[in-house]
Amino acid sequence: MRFITQLGAASALLSIASATPIEKRGVTFTINESVPKSKIRSGPNALAHAYAKFGGTVSPELATAAGTDDGTVTASPEEYDEEYLCPVNIGTPAQTLNLDFDTGSSDLWVFSTELPAADQAGHSVYNPAKSTTSKLLSGETWSISYGDGSSASGNVYDDVVTVGATKVTAQAVEAAKKISSEFVDDVDSDGLLGLAFDSLNTVSPNPQKTFFFNAESSLALPLFTANLKKGAPGSYNFGYIDSSEYTGSITYVPVITSNGFWEFDGDGYAIGSGSFVSTTIDAIADTGTTLLLLPSTVVTAYYKKVSGSSNSATYGGYVFPCSATLPSITLGIGSYRAVVPGSYINYAPVTSGSSTCYGGIQSDAGIGFAIYGDIFLKSQFVVFDATSSPQLGFAAKPT
């Protein structure tokens, strides 16, 4: 079911720390995650996908662990950390597809009628022939491929895309013509809407703009916020900051845009009630990565505090008894201390029904930067601000 809230121009941007965005008139809207995924990636599969997405090395042990089950764990909102998708309307008349919002990539790609019928099964698909506003971009193609073997590619169309209250009339829609089984098997998701910077777009020979950067000029403020939640649907607000969704002030840090990600420098960590350790952590904020990937020294220090934990060759990452009590982890971002509760770090059983659980914190080895994925983001209110000097804002949520 689709839930859209139409709102007035942004006004009360309260309790915001330094570098408050400049207000301007325009559209604001909320899009609520409303489509639950019936299954989530298993821990090994989630880690292998993150490594593959960002060019890390998937060890033979991790590859084996990720390949020995069907790659998923059955999800229920109360038991595990269920993931949700957002409905997006494409074409005229509108065709509704359920997409992952991904701040770690810049393609808007979808399942389409150009795929073989067997690959369309179970998915809502985009049919450009049934849209009166679709236009094939002749000579333009797109292709994504990851180290785990997953891939997709196809043609590119211009068409109307509507998210919430904002319509982009000439948005590049990347229609899948070929797709690997890893994507086909995820029957809940019909594609992806990338929200990173345009430089990461894979369309060739002419890279295309993302939905957000096409829509930016129509928004009241050139930003969106992510209020993801554990075991419940979260929301994205475009063009405004809802002061009821956070407590205290928002701390902003500069974004390093050279790599195309929402990249920033973290300032250290603390485990449980332990002392804060000051160290620079180069990181990206990525709603498209499930886990929290940190430098190996931080990960090792964390699991030393978890009774019964081990770095498992069988499962390709840190595991522990599901009954273990996990400490929180605090991550420094400027002057702000972001606390991730221990309960968030128990990702899921390694297989359905197992008494061994997979850690939501794993090593970022081989990637080149830390990834503050959903395990982290669900504990925070986050502002993705694309002003002339892009910045990320972080604040605590009401308890």
Side-chain angles (χ1 to χ4, degrees):
M1 181 176 181
R2 186 171 185 174
F3 302 90
I4 300 295
T5 304
Q6 180 82 42
L7 300 162
S11 54
L13 305 186
L14 303 177
S15 303
I16 299 177
S18 60
T20 302
I22 298 173
E23 184 175 353
K24 61 181 181 180
R25 298 180 65 184
V27 174
T28 65
F29 67 92
T30 296
I31 179 96
N32 289 293
E33 296 179 310
S34 56
V35 182
K37 297 187 76 170
S38 59
K39 292 186 175 183
I40 60 173
R41 295 180 184 274
S42 67
N45 191 273
L47 183 57
H49 179 78
Y51 285 166
K53 178 179 179 180
F54 294 103
T57 300
V58 178
S59 69
E61 294 81 7
L62 180 57
T64 299
T68 53
D69 56 32
D70 68 355
T72 62
V73 174
T74 301
S76 61
E78 298 302 324
E79 188 174 10
Y80 311 139
D81 203 357
E82 186 171 356
E83 295 182 351
Y84 292 77
L85 303 164
C86 296
V88 173
N89 288 335
I90 303 175
T92 307
Q95 303 171 38
T96 303
L97 281 71
N98 298 319
L99 305 183
D100 279 309
F101 280 23
D102 181 10
T103 60
S105 67
S106 302
D107 290 85
L108 194 170
W109 72 265
V110 295
F111 278 72
S112 80
T113 52
E114 297 183 357
L115 287 165
D119 291 345
Q120 298 179 38
H123 294 272
S124 295
V125 297
Y126 169 58
N127 185 345
K130 289 189 175 181
S131 172
T132 60
T133 47
S134 71
K135 176 185 176 183
L136 177 68
L137 296 184
S138 180
E140 302 290 344
T141 60
W142 65 280
S143 178
I144 57 172
S145 60
Y146 301 130
D148 61 355
S150 58
S151 62
S153 61
N155 296 316
V156 184
Y157 292 83
D158 258 358
D159 210 340
V160 175
V161 173
T162 303
V163 178
T166 291
K167 176 186 293 185
V168 173
T169 57
Q171 175 62 48
V173 178
E174 300 164 35
K177 189 173 183 179
K178 295 181 181 179
I179 201 164
S180 66
S181 60
E182 291 83 359
F183 292 119
V184 172
D185 293 343
D186 185 2
V187 295
D188 298 308
S189 177
D190 305 320
L192 182 148
L193 190 149
L195 291 167
F197 292 88
D198 294 338
S199 60
L200 292 180
N201 183 264
T202 70
V203 173
S204 178
N206 298 298
Q208 302 293 305
K209 289 184 175 295
T210 67
F211 173 86
F212 172 62
F213 284 99
N214 274 328
E216 180 185 348
S217 62
S218 70
L219 298 175
L221 295 171
L223 58 79
F224 63 93
T225 67
N227 184 14
L228 307 185
K229 297 180 181 180
K230 178 175 172 59
S235 61
Y236 293 87
N237 296 334
F238 286 78
Y240 78 111
I241 296 172
D242 184 346
S243 61
S244 72
E245 294 187 352
Y246 66 92
T247 60
S249 60
I250 300 175
T251 298
Y252 286 92
V253 292
V255 169
I256 304 162
T257 61
S258 55
N259 294 317
F261 299 112
W262 291 93
E263 186 175 356
F264 64 99
D265 283 336
D267 296 295
Y269 67 96
I271 298 167
S273 59
S275 299
F276 188 82
V277 178
S278 294
T279 183
T280 299
I281 300 176
D282 179 14
I284 69 169
D286 182 16
T287 60
T289 292
T290 303
L291 305 178
L292 169 55
L293 305 187
L294 295 169
S296 295
T297 52
V298 181
V299 177
T300 299
Y302 180 83
Y303 285 108
K304 282 183 178 179
K305 302 294 185 180
V306 179
S307 178
S309 66
S310 65
N311 192 358
S312 169
T314 302
Y315 295 110
Y318 278 92
V319 299
F320 45 80
C322 293
S323 60
T325 299
L326 303 182
S328 62
I329 189 165
T330 299
L331 296 170
I333 302 171
S335 61
Y336 177 59
R337 298 294 181 258
V339 179
V340 183
S343 60
Y344 284 42
I345 300 166
N346 187 335
Y347 173 62
V350 292
T351 57
S352 293
S354 175
S355 62
T356 299
C357 279
Y358 207 78
I361 291 176
Q362 300 290 344
S363 171
D364 66 3
I367 295 177
F369 45 78
I371 303 177
Y372 286 29
D374 293 345
I375 295 292
F376 170 82
L377 295 172
K378 290 178 181 182
S379 70
Q380 304 297 314
F381 177 79
V382 185
V383 181
F384 296 79
D385 178 7
T387 53
S388 58
S389 298
Q391 55 187 356
L392 279 165
F394 297 89
K397 294 184 181 183
T399 54

